Amino acid sequence: AVAPAGAPASPSRARPWRAISAVALAIAVAGLALAVALMMAARPRSWTIAESHLLFIATPLVERGPAFSPDGTIIAYSAGTDLAHRKLYLRLRNGGDPIRLTDDPFGALWPAWSPDGRTIAYIGYESGKPCRILLIAVPAGASHEVGRCRSSFLTTVAWDHGGHALFFSDSAVADRPQHIFRLDLDTGKADEFIHAARAAEDGFSALSPDGKTMLLVRFISAVASQIVLHPLPAGPERVLLQSDDDDMNAAWSSDSRTVFASRTKQWDSSLWAYPVSGAAP
């Protein structure tokens, strides 16, 4: 039998086309969701200005060098009356009393977490002597020395991406500009890793979480400093920021796309987010 012109199709004929349409719609929605997700992943995170007047750690001691554990649950920091008497402490981010980690006969400064969160590297300060580089297990353990500075009394340490080496700034000869050295934890050998040009010196370094770029704070004169990005294993450096700030420090975001720079000028301190892409800070 033939249906009259304009008559609705029978249910048996309409149902397959409806099913096909539903599948096509589902595929289109899934494709759109995937495209949006990829766009969101590629878009750099936007950072906004925020104010907080809540003290996180406040004791009668001088507190410096805060460092978060890789999972973000613990903060390590040094505290003491002066450089020679500072010790490392651990404190949970969500509160509680701090736990003293070190008990060395010298000052413990600038803690740096290993990538696996099991070890902290730090600097041992002793007046008039080159600094020591030490490791200690977390949450408790005995510290042990893995290296010494050649001439610097103070420096900072940073782990490589695999956890087998430490970067620190030092000078091969006293009263000479500092450069970046790499200490191999397997062999105990320290070699110069980055040599700053001319009279400039590199006083701080931090490896990006993806292991592709080293961040340097480079002092190019008595009144000017730069934040420099140094690709690894090798490549042309790029100056992210140059300033005459009194004090400048920097840190990576967890996605390696942003460098946070703390800037201080005439006691006015601020925190800036600088996209690695070169977009406006």
Side-chain angles (χ1 to χ4, degrees):
V2 179
S10 65
S12 62
R13 294 182 179 180
R15 193 173 296 115
W17 289 107
R18 290 175 182 172
I20 293 173
S21 298
V23 171
L25 179 60
I27 293 174
V29 170
L32 180 60
L34 178 61
V36 171
L38 292 175
M39 290 176 61
M40 294 298 294
R43 183 183 303 170
R45 183 181 300 176
S46 60
W47 302 96
T48 57
I49 298 174
E51 291 288 341
S52 174
H53 300 281
L54 178 65
L55 287 173
F56 185 64
I57 298 175
T59 71
L61 303 175
V62 176
E63 299 139 358
R64 294 294 301 272
F68 279 104
S69 59
D71 64 5
T73 61
I74 306 174
I75 186 171
Y77 64 98
S78 66
T81 55
D82 52 47
L83 287 176
H85 296 90
R86 290 184 188 168
K87 306 303 176 186
L88 294 189
Y89 292 82
L90 301 177
R91 186 181 185 274
L92 293 175
R93 188 183 65 177
N94 59 6
D97 295 328
I99 299 173
R100 182 165 162 173
L101 184 63
T102 62
D103 193 22
D104 302 316
F106 33 78
L109 309 168
W110 301 116
W113 292 83
S114 63
D116 61 9
R118 298 178 179 178
T119 308
I120 289 179
Y122 64 100
I123 296 300
Y125 171 80
E126 195 172 2
S127 179
K129 297 182 180 180
C131 56
R132 305 165 185 261
I133 302 174
L134 302 105
L135 300 180
I136 189 168
V138 178
S143 61
H144 63 281
E145 184 175 314
V146 293
R148 285 201 182 188
C149 300
R150 302 185 183 187
S151 61
S152 298
F153 298 135
L154 287 174
T155 188
T156 58
V157 287
W159 290 83
D160 76 341
H161 193 57
H164 297 288
L166 293 170
F167 298 103
F168 64 100
S169 59
D170 194 10
S171 54
V173 181
D175 300 324
R176 296 287 180 87
Q178 292 188 355
H179 302 138
I180 301 299
F181 284 77
R182 180 183 183 274
L183 172 63
D184 189 316
L185 295 178
D186 297 325
T187 64
K189 186 179 180 181
D191 295 310
E192 191 173 76
F193 188 73
I194 297 178
H195 186 97
R198 300 177 184 174
E201 66 175 21
D202 295 324
F204 172 84
S205 64
L207 198 65
S208 60
D210 62 11
K212 297 180 180 179
T213 309
M214 177 171 285
L215 181 153
L216 306 170
V217 175
R218 178 167 292 163
F219 303 96
I220 58 177
S221 73
V223 295
S225 55
Q226 298 174 331
I227 292 180
V228 178
L229 300 182
H230 182 93
L232 298 177
E237 293 183 341
R238 179 161 61 95
V239 176
L240 193 66
L241 164 67
Q242 180 168 323
S243 175
D244 60 352
D245 292 349
D246 299 333
D247 186 22
M248 188 162 61
N249 213 324
W252 288 97
S253 64
S254 58
D255 59 8
S256 302
R257 295 181 179 181
T258 305
V259 170
F260 297 106
S262 61
R263 301 173 57 180
T264 304
K265 193 167 186 177
Q266 298 179 348
W267 301 102
D268 183 16
S269 299
S270 57
L271 183 66
W272 290 71
Y274 283 83
V276 175
S277 63

